Each structure stands twice: as structure tokens, then as C-alpha cells.
Amino acid sequence: MHQKLVLVVVICGLSTAAQLASQAVADPAADSAVSVLQAPPVEALVAKALANSPGIQALRAKLAAAREMERPAGALPDPMVGAMIQDASFPKNTIGQEPMSMAGFEVRQDLLFPGKRSARVTVALAETAQRDAELAALEAQTASDIRTLFARIYALDREQETASAAHELLSLLSATVAARYAAGEAQQEALVRVQIEISRLNERLDDLSTERIGWVAALNRWLDQPADAPLGTVASLPTVEHRQPFVRSPDAETAPEVLTASAALATAASRSRVAQTELKPNLSSAAGIGFRGSKDPVVTLRFGFELPIWRRQKQEPMARAAAHEVVMAQSELRSAQAMVRAESARLEAQWTTSERQIVRYKEGILPQSSLALDAARSAYLAGRGDFETVIADFNLWLEARMELARRESDRFIAWAELQRLAQPARPQASEASR
């Protein structure tokens, strides 16, 4: 009689634990209400990363440096000032006596061939645009990476929650098997098997904890804070809409990789034009005045140009090299466009599949696995089923709930990457930092 009473109590406790476990998995909001520490919203983490990431700050400084180089690119060389002594009867000092003897100074200004200054300014502007595109791409990638890490941590937290609930379930199941074993209604193998499942679940919990530490450390790297800085529980992911335009047809021409490659091509083309202008000789002008004592001063005006006698060894190879860089930049642009098209197709498929699988798990696999576990448990307690079926159905129940969290994580990651491809413009925080 006492053993039957224990069985009834254990059965009730086991049923209650299963219901609580299912509610905990199905209702993340309820869990977040009692959680001690919750993670900040993902967009708050994105904003913090955009403000604190050392990589982004480095590119912002690089962009600022490129802007500072725009005006110097079109500046003339600094003039040269030199002193002059001309003595017709050297070493005798005949200044003021000989008409050709004089002392004075000369100012020389080197000039660039017409078109060279504007071509150099064009290169400087193109380099600034390229740095700006690189910064936009890094900011978009950072936002995507933060959202991806957030989604992965969400999946781990949900798996840990499910595993903890399953641990309670197994503990009650162990008590059930122990009671039946004591009553002579179960074999020792069942008792050992449930202990093995508890150990495996503890192993899974340890692995999940270690994996979470790694993902949090990766997140903290973007936030520029210590690797062990804690992150609260990620109880839910933001709701994302399936039918947003960037999910349906991301434009390869506006993706960050394509814009960066386009800017690099513009820079290469500008440098090629500069290399062509360098085939033209530079010019030089000078003016001087010499004093001859009591005689009238002498004014000297000079004008000259370079003799490009080494053009085949210097300017022409540089022009050909610049032309090769244009071809390289064109190929890299086509490669970036092809990559974005392929990546967009992959992410669209991942989004669609994840969405479909989430519905399948919520409407089919989850309730069916719960029913299968309840039926197997009831049959075993009634003496009509075997314990192997109970364990198999328990593992199906556990895996279904963990897989749902992974599917939700995959869907959000696909959304984040598609948003990165379709919305390359930097957030307002970047504009304010200029």
C-alpha cells in the first residue's frame, strides 16, 4: 500500500513537472518576468557596439584622415627662395664695379602640368569615398554580427532552460523507477538507464554553459568590454516580419560589399587618370632680382619644363600598373556582385525554411512529442509499456524543444544578414560621430 502511494505521488509530480517544463519553453515572457538579470535589447547592444567598437573607431579615424588629405592633394609645391651672388672677377669683390657682378635673391615655384592638380584631387575624393564605404560596410557587418551573436545566445539560453526543466523531469522519473524497482515491478537496467540519461543531461548543460561563455566573450569584443562581462538571459528575440522588401529581393547593387568594391574601382580609375597625366612634363618658373651697388638692379625671369627622358623606365610602367589595378578592381566588383546574389539566395532559402520549420515544430512536433511522452510514461506506469520507449520519447521531447530554439535563432540570423545586404547606409550614430 505504501509503495502504491509513492507511485501515485511520483506520477502526479511527474505530470506537473512536464506541464511546467512545456509552459516554460512555450512562454519565454513568463520566464523573463522572474529572471534576475535580463540581457539588454539587441538594438541597444548594436548601438553600443557602433559607439565603442575599436575597429569602427579605427576606420572613422582613417576616414577623417582621408578627408584631411583632400585639400593637400590639389596644392602646389612650396616655393623655393634662394640667395644669389654673381661676381665677374672672382675672387675679387667687384659688385658695384662690374656690370655683371651682383647680389640678390630668387623665388622659384614648381608648377604641375595642366590637369594634374584636378586629377590628384579626384583621387583624394575617391579615396575618401572608399574609406566611407568601408566604414559603412563595417558598421553594417557589426550590427549583423551583434544580432547573430544575440540570436545564438538566445538559442543556448532556451536550450539551457529546456535542459534544466528536463533535469527535473528525469529526477521525478528516476524516483518513479526506483519505486517500481523497490516493489519488484522494474528491472535494475531501467534504474541505471535513467541515471545515465541524467548524467548525459548534466553533460549537455556543462557544454551549453561553456559555449555560452564563448559567444558572450565574442559579443564583448565588439562592445569593447572585458571578455567575462556578464550578459543577462536572452529570453526572446525581436519580432521580425517575413514580407519586408529586403527579405524578398535584396539589391546586389546596394549591398555593402558591392558599394565598397564600386568605391575601390572609382579610386583605381582615378589613379589611372593621374598616372596618365604624369606622362606630361612638370613646369617651373622663377623670378629674381640682383643688386649691383650704385648701378640699376637686374631682374631675372625663368621658365622651364622637365625633360621626360626616363619616361619609359618610370612614368609608363606606373601608368600600365594603374591600368592593371583598374582591371583588378572591375573583377573584384563582379565577384562582390556574384557573392551578394548567391548569399541573398541562400539567406532567403534559410529564412523560408526556418519559418516553415518553426510552424512545423509549434503545430506538430512539439505537441506530438509531449503526447508521445505522456502516453509512454502512462503505459510504463501501468505495466503495459517498456522503459526504453519512455527514454526514447523523452529524448524526442527534449530535442524538439531545443531544435525549436535553434530554428528561431536561424530565422533571426537570416533576417539580420538580409537586412545588412539591403540596408548598407550607416546608422545615425555614425553621422553624429563625424
Side-chain angles (χ1 to χ4, degrees):
M1 182 67 180
H2 174 71
Q3 293 171 346
K4 291 184 179 180
L5 180 61
V6 170
L7 280 175
V8 171
V9 173
V10 170
I11 292 171
C12 294
L14 192 58
S15 177
T16 302
Q19 293 174 359
L20 292 176
S22 299
Q23 292 174 359
V25 174
D27 187 11
D31 175 70
S32 63
V34 298
S35 179
V36 177
L37 179 63
Q38 291 296 312
V42 63
E43 296 308 316
L45 295 175
V46 169
K48 186 175 181 179
L50 293 178
N52 297 343
S53 171
I56 291 178
Q57 291 177 357
L59 271 189
R60 286 175 181 162
K62 194 173 183 179
L63 174 60
R67 287 200 177 101
E68 294 294 339
M69 293 303 295
E70 291 175 1
R71 293 185 64 184
L76 287 171
D78 290 331
M80 297 287 294
V81 178
M84 175 192 66
I85 295 179
Q86 182 173 312
D87 198 331
S89 301
F90 184 81
K92 292 173 56 178
N93 182 10
T94 59
I95 296 176
Q97 302 174 14
E98 291 287 342
M100 297 299 295
S101 298
M102 67 190 75
F105 63 90
E106 183 179 72
V107 178
R108 176 182 173 181
Q109 175 65 64
D110 290 333
L111 303 172
L112 301 178
F113 194 86
K116 285 190 175 183
R117 291 176 62 190
S118 61
R120 292 179 181 181
V121 171
T122 302
V123 170
L125 293 173
E127 289 178 344
T128 300
Q130 184 177 350
R131 301 289 90 78
D132 193 56
E134 291 171 353
L135 176 58
L138 181 59
E139 289 179 335
Q141 185 64 59
T142 298
S144 177
D145 287 347
I146 293 297
R147 292 168 182 143
T148 296
L149 290 169
F150 191 85
R152 296 194 186 283
I153 294 172
Y154 162 80
L156 290 178
D157 286 350
R158 303 312 294 170
E159 288 185 42
Q160 284 182 322
E161 179 188 9
T162 301
S164 297
H167 196 283
E168 296 296 327
L169 209 75
L170 279 179
S171 297
L172 289 173
L173 187 58
S174 176
T176 302
V177 175
R180 291 199 62 185
Y181 177 72
E185 299 175 357
Q187 301 295 323
Q188 186 179 14
E189 186 272 339
L191 186 60
V192 174
R193 180 63 185 276
V194 75
Q195 294 300 323
I196 292 175
E197 292 297 329
I198 291 176
S199 298
R200 292 180 61 186
L201 199 56
N202 288 332
E203 177 191 18
R204 183 75 170 270
L205 284 168
D206 285 344
D207 288 341
L208 290 173
S209 178
T210 301
E211 189 175 356
R212 191 183 196 277
I213 291 173
W215 288 125
V216 171
L219 182 65
N220 287 329
R221 178 179 72 88
W222 286 111
L223 301 176
D224 192 27
Q225 56 190 24
D228 59 351
L231 179 72
T233 300
V234 180
S236 62
L237 292 174
T239 301
V240 292
E241 295 294 334
H242 187 318
R243 299 184 182 278
Q244 293 186 14
F246 57 83
V247 173
R248 285 299 184 187
S249 56
D251 187 359
E253 298 304 318
T254 62
E257 295 88 346
V258 174
L259 292 180
T260 302
S262 298
L265 175 58
T267 301
S270 299
R271 287 175 179 164
S272 180
R273 288 191 291 270
V274 167
Q276 291 296 325
T277 62
E278 291 299 330
L279 296 173
K280 306 296 183 179
N282 289 328
L283 309 175
S284 175
S285 63
I289 183 170
F291 298 97
R292 302 185 295 170
S294 59
K295 295 180 173 60
D296 293 335
V298 176
V299 174
T300 304
L301 298 177
R302 304 179 191 275
F303 180 80
F305 61 89
E306 294 177 340
L307 292 176
I309 59 176
W310 309 117
R311 189 168 73 172
R312 290 187 177 181
Q313 289 78 21
K314 185 170 57 175
Q315 287 94 341
E316 290 182 359
M318 294 175 65
R320 290 194 297 269
H324 290 313
E325 290 182 356
V326 172
V327 175
M328 177 190 70
Q330 290 172 339
S331 299
E332 289 179 345
L333 175 58
R334 292 197 304 272
S335 176
Q337 291 169 333
M339 184 275 294
V340 169
R341 288 193 296 268
E343 188 69 2
S344 299
R346 182 189 68 82
L347 291 169
E348 176 68 20
Q350 179 177 326
W351 166 274
T352 303
T353 301
S354 297
E355 180 73 9
R356 186 168 58 247
Q357 299 289 30
I358 288 171
V359 173
R360 179 175 289 122
Y361 270 91
K362 287 184 176 180
E363 296 182 357
I365 298 177
L366 286 184
Q368 289 169 0
S369 63
S370 296
L371 288 174
L373 178 59
D374 290 341
R377 186 179 65 246
S378 299
Y380 175 74
L381 294 176
R384 297 189 305 271
D386 57 42
F387 188 72
E388 185 67 28
T389 303
V390 176
I391 291 298
D393 288 342
F394 168 79
N395 286 326
L396 288 175
W397 176 90
L398 177 62
E399 189 60 33
R401 280 147 182 79
M402 290 186 172
E403 187 63 25
L404 173 61
R406 298 189 199 107
R407 296 292 184 177
E408 291 173 335
S409 174
D410 290 342
R411 179 180 63 176
F412 189 77
I413 291 171
W415 172 87
E417 277 295 293
L418 284 167
Q419 186 181 54
R420 181 186 70 83
L421 294 179
Q423 296 181 350
R426 291 194 308 278
Q428 293 298 320
S430 173
E431 298 295 331
S433 66
R434 289 187 176 183

